[in-house]
Amino acid sequence: MERTTTAAAVAALLAAAALGLAPHQAQAAPAPAAAVAADAPAASPELRFHDIPGSGGITLKGNVFTPAGAASGRKYPLIVLPTSWGMPQIEYIAQARKLADSGYVVVSYTSRGFWLSGGQIEVAGPPDIADVSAVIDWALANSPADADHIGLGGVSYGAGISLLASAHDPRVKAVVAMSGWADLIESIYSGRTQHLQAAGMLGAAGYLTGRPGPELQSILGDFLGSRLDREQQMIEWGRKRSAAEQVDRINANGAAVMLGNAWGDTIFPPNQYAKFYERLTGPKRLEFRPGDHATAEGTGLLGLPNDTWTNAHRWFDRYLKGERNGVDTEAPVQIKSRSDEGYEGYADWKSVGAGGSERLALSDSEHVFANVDSGANGGIIFLSSILDQFVKAPPTASIPLLPRAFAAVWQSERHDSPRRVRGTVALHTTVTPTKADGTFVAYLYDVGPLGIGKLVSNAPYTFHGRTPGRAFGVDLELFSTAYDVPAGHRLALVVDTVDPLYIEHNPTGAQLTFSSPRSDPSYVSVPLREQ
């Protein structure tokens, strides 16, 4: 009871703050079954808190904004916003009000299993998808929502749920999915490597703010416990929760889909969004900006000016209202470099690196001992990419001082002109292990005159069941990025075996040799912007 009361009070206060009300205007949350209009000026959209029936008989805690002075008998386009992981129903209050100001009915609700909503955390499982349709049904019956003009949107968890729901409910005409995932396995298990900090953070937040279901508890335990015998079950579980596995249904339903993400997203890296975008056949838009998970749209949740949310509104206006605002005539792929403030527009994702690629030959054989962190790291979840976003300070390493016993290092010559890295860096190499299992992490650095390397990108790779002493080829995509390397700098590839971001699988005493056979040379391919 104490937790319920506290959560309700916090929700009321935060809602008041988002609406610009003075503290004394915030009202205590009503009894669960009640719905009370929030204090607001007469010209403002009306906000009401509701208990909304979800799927399977549970109750979802939600709120509804309707346009100010909504005329009797008139219908308005509907936007449904499921909350992010661990967030309460008031997450979107500021943006929901703005949308209602421009003529939308907006329903936001706390996703099942979190805070005061019923049920257990299903991680965008079938009950979550059914909840979206149930909320739409409720909104059509209890608000002036227009059944022919329905949109979904959200940040992170809300984005993933929205994409999946658009595959199952053909009434959805537009989706805006910010900082979400399309491929859950590629997001937190890329390179067959557990993203430790990402999964740990999600698990901890789930237990703190909600009620993980037994399936999630089992999967999380197997995942963090490196249960290789359960790997296929974990992969199948993730595929059922990945919009990439249902892209044909999304295309058949025809919703207009806008995707937005950050280059440094440590929860849902950008590669999987770009691949998913290329497979969409309906109206679509892809935006990448500097930052980490949800930081690109975070200020918009506080009601501050925000490019991501501005374009989200334009997307809904175009595809739910039919407004000719130009969002569909702009280049559909919009990116902002981590080194520049301007936007670059492209016709599609493959055009991002259309300037060709530069190859760094990895001709020298390198031998490293595993189980020791060399000092080359991908940073700390959230913190490192936020520093990069706001003060252009990505993770760094002194390349000359990296211990060569534990780090393989290859460097290019100094570049006499800038290199505008755009897209996905690809590594091809040959690895010979001394043990059957192992992990390594590849890093691409921008190295200045003093030897200080700034991290451009990275990615992990894990193998199991290999024959010790027998070489095998590896193709690894690093996380997509947009980074400008100044003239006079070098590019360096560094490979080591330990990074706090990931779980590593190197047995005690393991060693790895990276070679470049004449018949199959090793290299790093760096995609460049067209000059």
Side-chain angles (χ1 to χ4, degrees):
M1 178 63 71
E2 182 178 351
R3 178 181 175 183
T4 300
T5 304
T6 302
V10 168
L13 289 171
L14 288 176
L19 289 166
L21 303 177
H24 69 272
Q25 292 175 294
Q27 297 180 350
V36 180
D39 271 341
S44 296
E46 183 180 46
L47 168 64
R48 289 182 178 271
F49 292 93
H50 287 274
D51 285 350
I52 300 175
S55 65
I58 73 160
T59 296
L60 301 169
K61 294 296 181 176
N63 59 70
V64 181
F65 270 106
T66 53
S72 177
R74 181 179 173 183
K75 298 293 184 180
Y76 299 86
L78 168 68
I79 295 175
V80 175
L81 303 172
T83 58
S84 302
W85 186 269
M87 294 296 288
Q89 58 163 301
I90 48 78
E91 176 184 11
Y92 302 111
I93 285 284
Q95 290 300 325
R97 180 182 183 183
K98 290 183 178 182
L99 287 164
D101 271 333
S102 61
Y104 291 96
V105 172
V106 186
V107 180
S108 178
Y109 67 93
T110 304
S111 299
R112 71 164 50 221
F114 289 102
W115 295 94
L116 303 182
S117 281
Q120 296 176 317
I121 301 173
E122 303 286 349
V123 194
D128 292 293
I129 308 313
D131 284 344
V132 174
S133 294
V135 170
I136 291 174
D137 292 341
W138 180 90
L140 294 177
N142 293 277
S143 76
D146 186 347
D148 295 324
H149 299 89
I150 297 172
L152 303 177
V155 176
S156 185
Y157 193 49
I161 289 174
S162 294
L163 284 175
L164 286 161
S166 72
H168 293 269
D169 197 323
R171 295 175 295 180
V172 177
K173 299 300 189 291
V175 177
V176 174
M178 296 170 278
S179 289
W181 78 91
D183 187 329
L184 191 57
I185 298 301
E186 188 64 21
S187 294
I188 61 173
Y189 194 52
S190 69
R192 209 178 175 186
T193 308
Q194 299 104 313
H195 293 210
L196 173 62
Q197 291 185 17
M201 187 283 296
L202 291 172
Y207 278 98
L208 284 171
T209 63
R211 301 167 299 283
E215 190 175 24
L216 171 57
Q217 294 180 46
S218 175
I219 288 291
L220 190 62
D222 292 341
F223 185 81
L224 294 176
S226 299
R227 286 282 304 276
L228 194 61
D229 61 312
R230 294 279 299 166
E231 182 182 40
Q232 194 54 45
Q233 289 90 332
M234 288 187 281
I235 289 174
E236 290 302 320
W237 178 87
R239 284 176 175 166
K240 292 177 183 177
R241 291 157 170 79
S242 297
E245 297 290 324
Q246 302 182 41
V247 67
D248 290 342
R249 296 182 64 165
I250 294 173
N251 289 334
N253 287 341
V257 178
M258 173 181 156
L259 306 170
N261 206 350
W263 296 120
D265 194 320
T266 44
I267 307 294
F268 305 127
N271 304 46
Q272 45 92 31
Y273 245 22
K275 293 175 183 177
F276 175 71
Y277 170 83
E278 288 291 88
R279 296 175 61 197
L280 292 171
T281 58
K284 58 184 180 178
R285 182 180 177 94
L286 176 67
E287 300 182 355
F288 284 138
R289 299 174 176 83
D292 204 311
H293 186 66
T295 64
E297 52 275 345
T299 56
L301 293 175
L302 300 175
L304 302 175
N306 181 277
D307 290 348
T308 308
W309 280 103
T310 295
N311 289 335
H313 288 231
R314 295 173 66 215
W315 193 254
F316 284 134
D317 288 346
R318 174 67 187 89
Y319 291 102
L320 296 183
K321 291 183 177 180
E323 292 184 3
R324 297 290 179 177
N325 55 20
V327 72
D328 56 330
T329 61
E330 298 169 355
V333 176
Q334 295 284 328
I335 69 171
K336 182 184 286 189
S337 166
R338 290 161 52 197
S339 316
D340 188 14
E341 295 302 318
Y343 283 93
E344 302 167 9
Y346 298 89
D348 49 35
W349 175 247
K350 64 177 177 291
S351 298
V352 172
S357 61
E358 183 171 304
R359 283 198 175 189
L360 169 60
L362 311 180
S363 54
D364 297 329
S365 180
E366 295 280 350
H367 183 86
V368 299
F369 293 89
N371 308 114
V372 176
D373 191 340
S374 71
N377 286 315
I380 301 172
I381 188 173
F382 294 133
L383 177 62
S384 296
S385 291
I386 290 174
L387 288 174
D388 184 35
Q389 176 182 0
F390 292 107
V391 295
K392 303 294 189 292
T396 60
S398 176
I399 304 304
L401 296 181
L402 290 175
R404 295 313 197 256
F406 309 115
V409 180
W410 298 267
Q411 292 193 75
S412 71
E413 298 298 323
R414 294 189 187 278
H415 298 301
D416 57 4
S417 61
R419 295 295 192 269
R420 294 181 173 86
V421 181
R422 298 291 185 274
T424 307
V425 175
L427 166 65
H428 175 74
T429 190
T430 295
V431 180
T432 305
T434 61
K435 304 288 186 180
D437 304 327
T439 298
F440 66 85
V441 184
Y443 310 88
L444 185 70
Y445 283 100
D446 159 26
V447 185
L450 298 179
I452 301 300
K454 294 182 177 181
L455 187 65
V456 177
S457 186
N458 78 99
Y461 183 89
T462 293
F463 58 89
H464 294 288
R466 292 288 179 176
T467 302
R470 180 177 295 179
F472 62 93
V474 170
D475 287 291
L476 176 63
E477 289 187 344
L478 277 63
F479 301 135
S480 303
T481 194
Y483 183 96
D484 299 331
V485 181
H489 286 211
R490 306 173 188 265
L491 284 172
L493 181 80
V494 176
V495 177
D496 74 0
T497 61
V498 177
D499 189 312
L501 285 173
Y502 313 112
I503 292 179
E504 53 94 5
H505 296 264
N506 298 296
T508 301
Q511 302 171 43
L512 300 175
T513 299
F514 298 89
S515 59
S516 183
R518 284 188 179 181
S519 60
D520 186 19
S522 296
Y523 62 85
V524 170
S525 178
V526 181
L528 302 175
R529 173 186 170 185
E530 205 166 27
Q531 298 298 319

Short mmCIF file of all heavy atoms in Angstrom, two decimals, residues 381-427:
data_model
loop_
_atom_site.label_atom_id
_atom_site.label_comp_id
_atom_site.label_asym_id
_atom_site.label_seq_id
_atom_site.Cartn_x
_atom_site.Cartn_y
_atom_site.Cartn_z
N ILE A 381 28.20 2.24 -19.92
CA ILE A 381 26.84 2.41 -20.42
C ILE A 381 26.29 3.78 -20.03
O ILE A 381 26.46 4.23 -18.90
CB ILE A 381 25.93 1.27 -19.89
CG1 ILE A 381 24.56 1.33 -20.56
CG2 ILE A 381 25.81 1.31 -18.39
CD1 ILE A 381 23.67 0.13 -20.22
N PHE A 382 25.65 4.46 -20.96
CA PHE A 382 25.09 5.80 -20.84
C PHE A 382 26.14 6.90 -20.71
O PHE A 382 26.19 7.81 -21.53
CB PHE A 382 24.11 5.92 -19.65
CG PHE A 382 22.87 5.10 -19.80
CD1 PHE A 382 22.41 4.31 -18.76
CD2 PHE A 382 22.15 5.08 -20.98
CE1 PHE A 382 21.27 3.54 -18.89
CE2 PHE A 382 21.01 4.32 -21.13
CZ PHE A 382 20.58 3.55 -20.08
N LEU A 383 27.00 6.81 -19.72
CA LEU A 383 27.91 7.91 -19.41
C LEU A 383 28.82 8.27 -20.58
O LEU A 383 28.93 9.44 -20.96
CB LEU A 383 28.76 7.58 -18.18
CG LEU A 383 29.81 8.63 -17.80
CD1 LEU A 383 29.15 9.95 -17.45
CD2 LEU A 383 30.66 8.12 -16.63
N SER A 384 29.45 7.29 -21.19
CA SER A 384 30.46 7.57 -22.21
C SER A 384 29.85 8.23 -23.44
O SER A 384 30.39 9.21 -23.97
CB SER A 384 31.19 6.28 -22.61
OG SER A 384 31.90 5.76 -21.51
N SER A 385 28.73 7.70 -23.91
CA SER A 385 28.12 8.27 -25.12
C SER A 385 27.46 9.62 -24.84
O SER A 385 27.35 10.47 -25.73
CB SER A 385 27.11 7.29 -25.71
OG SER A 385 27.77 6.17 -26.25
N ILE A 386 27.01 9.84 -23.61
CA ILE A 386 26.46 11.16 -23.26
C ILE A 386 27.58 12.20 -23.27
O ILE A 386 27.40 13.32 -23.76
CB ILE A 386 25.76 11.10 -21.89
CG1 ILE A 386 24.46 10.28 -21.99
CG2 ILE A 386 25.46 12.49 -21.36
CD1 ILE A 386 23.78 10.04 -20.67
N LEU A 387 28.74 11.85 -22.74
CA LEU A 387 29.89 12.76 -22.81
C LEU A 387 30.26 13.04 -24.26
O LEU A 387 30.60 14.17 -24.63
CB LEU A 387 31.07 12.16 -22.06
CG LEU A 387 30.96 12.13 -20.53
CD1 LEU A 387 32.14 11.38 -19.93
CD2 LEU A 387 30.89 13.55 -19.96
N ASP A 388 30.20 12.03 -25.09
CA ASP A 388 30.48 12.22 -26.52
C ASP A 388 29.44 13.14 -27.15
O ASP A 388 29.76 14.00 -27.97
CB ASP A 388 30.50 10.86 -27.21
CG ASP A 388 30.89 10.96 -28.67
OD1 ASP A 388 31.74 11.81 -29.01
OD2 ASP A 388 30.38 10.18 -29.48
N GLN A 389 28.18 12.96 -26.76
CA GLN A 389 27.09 13.76 -27.33
C GLN A 389 27.22 15.24 -26.99
O GLN A 389 27.07 16.10 -27.86
CB GLN A 389 25.75 13.22 -26.82
CG GLN A 389 24.53 14.03 -27.29
CD GLN A 389 23.23 13.49 -26.71
OE1 GLN A 389 23.23 12.52 -25.95
NE2 GLN A 389 22.12 14.11 -27.06
N PHE A 390 27.52 15.53 -25.74
CA PHE A 390 27.44 16.92 -25.29
C PHE A 390 28.79 17.65 -25.27
O PHE A 390 28.82 18.87 -25.42
CB PHE A 390 26.78 16.99 -23.92
CG PHE A 390 25.33 16.61 -23.94
CD1 PHE A 390 24.89 15.41 -23.41
CD2 PHE A 390 24.38 17.46 -24.51
CE1 PHE A 390 23.54 15.06 -23.44
CE2 PHE A 390 23.04 17.12 -24.55
CZ PHE A 390 22.62 15.92 -24.01
N VAL A 391 29.88 16.93 -25.05
CA VAL A 391 31.18 17.62 -24.99
C VAL A 391 32.21 17.00 -25.92
O VAL A 391 33.40 17.30 -25.82
CB VAL A 391 31.72 17.65 -23.54
CG1 VAL A 391 30.83 18.47 -22.65
CG2 VAL A 391 31.91 16.24 -22.98
N LYS A 392 31.73 16.16 -26.86
CA LYS A 392 32.62 15.53 -27.86
C LYS A 392 33.80 14.83 -27.19
O LYS A 392 34.95 14.97 -27.60
CB LYS A 392 33.14 16.60 -28.84
CG LYS A 392 32.04 17.37 -29.57
CD LYS A 392 31.25 16.47 -30.51
CE LYS A 392 30.30 17.27 -31.40
NZ LYS A 392 29.21 17.90 -30.66
N ALA A 393 33.51 14.06 -26.14
CA ALA A 393 34.56 13.37 -25.39
C ALA A 393 34.25 11.88 -25.33
O ALA A 393 33.77 11.37 -24.31
CB ALA A 393 34.69 13.95 -23.98
N PRO A 394 34.53 11.14 -26.42
CA PRO A 394 34.31 9.69 -26.39
C PRO A 394 35.37 8.99 -25.55
O PRO A 394 36.36 9.62 -25.13
CB PRO A 394 34.45 9.30 -27.87
CG PRO A 394 35.40 10.32 -28.43
CD PRO A 394 35.09 11.60 -27.70
N PRO A 395 35.23 7.71 -25.30
CA PRO A 395 36.28 6.96 -24.58
C PRO A 395 37.62 7.08 -25.31
O PRO A 395 37.66 7.08 -26.54
CB PRO A 395 35.75 5.52 -24.59
CG PRO A 395 34.28 5.66 -24.72
CD PRO A 395 34.05 6.86 -25.58
N THR A 396 38.69 7.16 -24.55
CA THR A 396 40.01 7.32 -25.14
C THR A 396 40.98 6.26 -24.62
O THR A 396 40.75 5.63 -23.58
CB THR A 396 40.60 8.71 -24.83
OG1 THR A 396 40.71 8.86 -23.41
CG2 THR A 396 39.73 9.82 -25.40
N ALA A 397 42.07 6.09 -25.35
CA ALA A 397 43.16 5.19 -24.94
C ALA A 397 44.44 5.72 -25.55
O ALA A 397 44.43 6.26 -26.66
CB ALA A 397 42.88 3.76 -25.39
N SER A 398 45.53 5.59 -24.83
CA SER A 398 46.85 5.93 -25.37
C SER A 398 47.33 4.74 -26.19
O SER A 398 47.73 3.71 -25.63
CB SER A 398 47.83 6.24 -24.25
OG SER A 398 49.12 6.47 -24.79
N ILE A 399 47.25 4.85 -27.49
CA ILE A 399 47.55 3.72 -28.36
C ILE A 399 49.01 3.24 -28.20
O ILE A 399 49.24 2.02 -28.09
CB ILE A 399 47.23 4.05 -29.83
CG1 ILE A 399 45.77 4.51 -29.96
CG2 ILE A 399 47.50 2.85 -30.72
CD1 ILE A 399 44.74 3.53 -29.44
N PRO A 400 50.01 4.13 -28.15
CA PRO A 400 51.38 3.64 -27.98
C PRO A 400 51.61 2.91 -26.66
O PRO A 400 52.51 2.07 -26.56
CB PRO A 400 52.22 4.93 -28.04
CG PRO A 400 51.38 5.92 -28.76
CD PRO A 400 49.97 5.59 -28.36
N LEU A 401 50.82 3.22 -25.62
CA LEU A 401 51.05 2.62 -24.31
C LEU A 401 50.23 1.35 -24.07
O LEU A 401 50.37 0.73 -23.02
CB LEU A 401 50.73 3.64 -23.21
CG LEU A 401 51.63 4.89 -23.19
CD1 LEU A 401 51.21 5.80 -22.04
CD2 LEU A 401 53.11 4.52 -23.10
N LEU A 402 49.38 0.96 -25.01
CA LEU A 402 48.63 -0.28 -24.82
C LEU A 402 49.59 -1.46 -24.76
O LEU A 402 50.47 -1.61 -25.61
CB LEU A 402 47.64 -0.48 -25.98
CG LEU A 402 46.45 0.48 -26.04
CD1 LEU A 402 45.64 0.22 -27.31
CD2 LEU A 402 45.56 0.35 -24.81
N PRO A 403 49.47 -2.31 -23.76
CA PRO A 403 50.40 -3.45 -23.63
C PRO A 403 50.18 -4.45 -24.75
O PRO A 403 49.12 -5.07 -24.86
CB PRO A 403 50.04 -4.03 -22.26
CG PRO A 403 48.64 -3.60 -22.02
CD PRO A 403 48.47 -2.28 -22.67
N ARG A 404 51.22 -4.63 -25.57
CA ARG A 404 51.06 -5.47 -26.77
C ARG A 404 50.89 -6.95 -26.44
O ARG A 404 50.48 -7.72 -27.30
CB ARG A 404 52.26 -5.28 -27.69
CG ARG A 404 52.41 -3.86 -28.31
CD ARG A 404 51.07 -3.36 -28.88
NE ARG A 404 51.26 -2.24 -29.80
CZ ARG A 404 51.01 -0.97 -29.51
NH1 ARG A 404 50.58 -0.65 -28.29
NH2 ARG A 404 51.19 -0.02 -30.42
N ALA A 405 51.17 -7.35 -25.24
CA ALA A 405 50.91 -8.74 -24.87
C ALA A 405 49.42 -9.02 -24.76
O ALA A 405 48.98 -10.17 -24.92
CB ALA A 405 51.60 -9.06 -23.54
N PHE A 406 48.63 -7.98 -24.52
CA PHE A 406 47.20 -8.15 -24.29
C PHE A 406 46.34 -7.41 -25.32
O PHE A 406 45.12 -7.49 -25.25
CB PHE A 406 46.83 -7.67 -22.89
CG PHE A 406 47.71 -8.26 -21.82
CD1 PHE A 406 48.57 -7.46 -21.07
CD2 PHE A 406 47.72 -9.63 -21.58
CE1 PHE A 406 49.39 -8.00 -20.10
CE2 PHE A 406 48.54 -10.18 -20.61
CZ PHE A 406 49.38 -9.38 -19.86
N ALA A 407 46.95 -6.68 -26.24
CA ALA A 407 46.20 -5.93 -27.25
C ALA A 407 46.93 -6.02 -28.59
O ALA A 407 48.12 -5.73 -28.68
CB ALA A 407 46.04 -4.48 -26.84
N ALA A 408 46.20 -6.41 -29.63
CA ALA A 408 46.72 -6.37 -30.99
C ALA A 408 46.43 -5.00 -31.57
O ALA A 408 45.30 -4.49 -31.44
CB ALA A 408 46.08 -7.46 -31.84
N VAL A 409 47.41 -4.37 -32.20
CA VAL A 409 47.26 -3.00 -32.70
C VAL A 409 47.77 -2.90 -34.13
O VAL A 409 48.88 -3.35 -34.44
CB VAL A 409 48.04 -2.00 -31.81
CG1 VAL A 409 47.88 -0.58 -32.35
CG2 VAL A 409 47.57 -2.08 -30.36
N TRP A 410 46.95 -2.30 -34.99
CA TRP A 410 47.35 -1.96 -36.36
C TRP A 410 46.99 -0.50 -36.59
O TRP A 410 45.90 -0.06 -36.20
CB TRP A 410 46.61 -2.81 -37.39
CG TRP A 410 46.87 -4.29 -37.30
CD1 TRP A 410 47.80 -5.01 -37.99
CD2 TRP A 410 46.14 -5.24 -36.51
NE1 TRP A 410 47.72 -6.34 -37.69
CE2 TRP A 410 46.71 -6.52 -36.77
CE3 TRP A 410 45.09 -5.14 -35.60
CZ2 TRP A 410 46.24 -7.67 -36.16
CZ3 TRP A 410 44.63 -6.30 -34.99
CH2 TRP A 410 45.20 -7.55 -35.27
N GLN A 411 47.88 0.25 -37.25
CA GLN A 411 47.63 1.67 -37.51
C GLN A 411 47.85 2.00 -38.98
O GLN A 411 48.72 1.42 -39.64
CB GLN A 411 48.56 2.55 -36.67
CG GLN A 411 48.29 2.49 -35.18
CD GLN A 411 49.00 3.60 -34.42
OE1 GLN A 411 48.58 4.76 -34.47
NE2 GLN A 411 50.08 3.26 -33.73
N SER A 412 47.05 2.95 -39.45
CA SER A 412 47.23 3.47 -40.81
C SER A 412 48.33 4.52 -40.81
O SER A 412 48.84 4.92 -39.76
CB SER A 412 45.93 4.09 -41.31
OG SER A 412 45.68 5.31 -40.61
N GLU A 413 48.70 4.97 -41.99
CA GLU A 413 49.56 6.14 -42.11
C GLU A 413 48.74 7.38 -41.73
O GLU A 413 47.51 7.34 -41.66
CB GLU A 413 50.09 6.27 -43.54
CG GLU A 413 50.95 5.11 -44.00
CD GLU A 413 52.21 4.96 -43.17
OE1 GLU A 413 52.78 6.01 -42.76
OE2 GLU A 413 52.60 3.81 -42.89
N ARG A 414 49.42 8.48 -41.48
CA ARG A 414 48.69 9.73 -41.21
C ARG A 414 47.94 10.17 -42.47
O ARG A 414 48.48 10.11 -43.57
CB ARG A 414 49.66 10.84 -40.79
CG ARG A 414 50.35 10.58 -39.46
CD ARG A 414 51.13 11.80 -39.00
NE ARG A 414 51.92 11.51 -37.82
CZ ARG A 414 51.44 11.50 -36.57
NH1 ARG A 414 50.16 11.77 -36.37
NH2 ARG A 414 52.23 11.21 -35.56
N HIS A 415 46.72 10.59 -42.28
CA HIS A 415 45.90 11.02 -43.41
C HIS A 415 46.15 12.49 -43.70
O HIS A 415 46.16 13.32 -42.79
CB HIS A 415 44.41 10.81 -43.10
CG HIS A 415 44.04 9.37 -42.87
ND1 HIS A 415 44.24 8.39 -43.80
CD2 HIS A 415 43.49 8.76 -41.79
CE1 HIS A 415 43.82 7.23 -43.32
NE2 HIS A 415 43.36 7.43 -42.09
N ASP A 416 46.33 12.80 -44.97
CA ASP A 416 46.59 14.20 -45.34
C ASP A 416 45.31 14.99 -45.55
O ASP A 416 45.34 16.20 -45.80
CB ASP A 416 47.47 14.28 -46.59
CG ASP A 416 46.86 13.54 -47.78
OD1 ASP A 416 45.72 13.05 -47.65
OD2 ASP A 416 47.53 13.46 -48.83
N SER A 417 44.17 14.33 -45.44
CA SER A 417 42.88 15.01 -45.55
C SER A 417 41.90 14.34 -44.59
O SER A 417 42.12 13.20 -44.16
CB SER A 417 42.34 14.91 -46.99
OG SER A 417 42.15 13.56 -47.37
N PRO A 418 40.81 15.02 -44.23
CA PRO A 418 39.86 14.44 -43.29
C PRO A 418 39.23 13.15 -43.83
O PRO A 418 39.10 12.97 -45.04
CB PRO A 418 38.79 15.53 -43.12
CG PRO A 418 39.47 16.79 -43.55
CD PRO A 418 40.43 16.40 -44.62
N ARG A 419 38.86 12.27 -42.94
CA ARG A 419 38.12 11.06 -43.29
C ARG A 419 36.77 11.13 -42.61
O ARG A 419 36.68 11.11 -41.39
CB ARG A 419 38.88 9.81 -42.84
CG ARG A 419 40.22 9.60 -43.56
CD ARG A 419 40.00 9.33 -45.05
NE ARG A 419 41.21 8.86 -45.69
CZ ARG A 419 42.11 9.67 -46.27
NH1 ARG A 419 41.93 10.99 -46.25
NH2 ARG A 419 43.16 9.15 -46.88
N ARG A 420 35.71 11.22 -43.40
CA ARG A 420 34.35 11.29 -42.85
C ARG A 420 33.76 9.88 -42.82
O ARG A 420 33.19 9.42 -43.82
CB ARG A 420 33.51 12.26 -43.64
CG ARG A 420 33.99 13.70 -43.51
CD ARG A 420 33.12 14.68 -44.30
NE ARG A 420 33.51 16.05 -44.02
CZ ARG A 420 34.47 16.71 -44.67
NH1 ARG A 420 35.16 16.09 -45.63
NH2 ARG A 420 34.76 17.96 -44.37
N VAL A 421 33.92 9.21 -41.70
CA VAL A 421 33.44 7.83 -41.55
C VAL A 421 31.92 7.85 -41.46
O VAL A 421 31.34 8.54 -40.62
CB VAL A 421 34.05 7.17 -40.31
CG1 VAL A 421 33.57 5.73 -40.18
CG2 VAL A 421 35.58 7.23 -40.37
N ARG A 422 31.27 7.07 -42.32
CA ARG A 422 29.81 7.01 -42.34
C ARG A 422 29.34 5.58 -42.56
O ARG A 422 29.68 4.96 -43.56
CB ARG A 422 29.24 7.89 -43.47
CG ARG A 422 29.54 9.37 -43.38
CD ARG A 422 28.81 10.03 -42.22
NE ARG A 422 28.99 11.46 -42.20
CZ ARG A 422 30.03 12.08 -41.63
NH1 ARG A 422 30.98 11.37 -41.03
NH2 ARG A 422 30.12 13.40 -41.64
N GLY A 423 28.57 5.05 -41.63
CA GLY A 423 28.01 3.73 -41.82
C GLY A 423 28.64 2.68 -40.93
O GLY A 423 28.96 2.94 -39.77
N THR A 424 28.85 1.51 -41.48
CA THR A 424 29.25 0.34 -40.69
C THR A 424 30.64 -0.13 -41.08
O THR A 424 30.87 -0.59 -42.19
CB THR A 424 28.24 -0.81 -40.89
OG1 THR A 424 26.92 -0.33 -40.64
CG2 THR A 424 28.56 -1.96 -39.96
N VAL A 425 31.57 -0.02 -40.15
CA VAL A 425 32.94 -0.50 -40.33
C VAL A 425 32.93 -2.03 -40.25
O VAL A 425 32.29 -2.61 -39.38
CB VAL A 425 33.88 0.09 -39.26
CG1 VAL A 425 35.28 -0.51 -39.37
CG2 VAL A 425 33.93 1.61 -39.40
N ALA A 426 33.66 -2.67 -41.18
CA ALA A 426 33.68 -4.13 -41.24
C ALA A 426 35.09 -4.66 -41.03
O ALA A 426 36.04 -4.17 -41.66
CB ALA A 426 33.12 -4.63 -42.57
N LEU A 427 35.22 -5.65 -40.18
CA LEU A 427 36.50 -6.32 -39.92
C LEU A 427 36.48 -7.72 -40.52
O LEU A 427 35.52 -8.47 -40.32
CB LEU A 427 36.75 -6.41 -38.41
CG LEU A 427 37.87 -7.35 -37.94
CD1 LEU A 427 39.23 -6.86 -38.42
CD2 LEU A 427 37.84 -7.50 -36.42
#
